[in-house]
């Protein structure tokens, strides 16, 4: 039996959408720092839900950003 490959962009239970507040709490940074990183393009990938909705970060995007070597996140 062949099981179809799961699309790379499929959301798993572990790949939850995090709010900006959750990301800031986890990283122990201020919202202002997060917004600055986002404006500079140096922070984790983030997306507005529905185009005009709240900004969210997928768990996998945050983990990938944290695991990237040579990132100056300070």
């Amino acid at each position: 039996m062949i099981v179809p490959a799961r699309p790379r962009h499929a959301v798993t239970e572990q790949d939850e959408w995090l709010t900006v507040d959750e990301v800031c709490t986890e990283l122990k940074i201020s919202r202002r720092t997060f917004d600055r990183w986002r404006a500079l393009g140096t922070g984790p990938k983030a997306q507005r839900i529905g185009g005009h909705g709240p900004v969210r970060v997928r768990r996998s995007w945050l983990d990938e950003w944290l695991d990237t070597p040579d990132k100056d996140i300070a």
Side-chain angles (χ1 to χ4, degrees):
M1 177 177 177
I2 298 175
V3 177
R6 205 165 109 220
R8 289 179 48 179
H9 57 69
V11 178
T12 65
E13 289 179 21
Q14 297 172 351
D15 197 12
E16 63 188 328
W17 287 104
L18 302 171
T19 66
V20 173
D21 288 340
E22 290 171 331
V23 172
C24 291
T25 298
E26 186 169 328
L27 297 178
K28 298 180 181 174
I29 61 170
S30 69
R31 173 65 188 249
R32 185 173 179 184
T33 297
F34 179 88
D35 290 339
R36 186 177 68 243
W37 287 351
R38 189 161 183 254
L40 295 171
T42 59
K45 182 178 175 183
Q47 178 177 331
R48 283 201 177 274
I49 302 300
H52 299 291
V55 174
R56 296 285 191 261
V57 177
R58 283 198 181 183
R59 168 62 63 190
S60 62
W61 296 344
L62 179 60
D63 291 343
E64 180 181 317
W65 180 75
L66 288 170
D67 291 340
T68 303
D70 302 325
K71 274 284 190 194
D72 183 14
I73 61 172

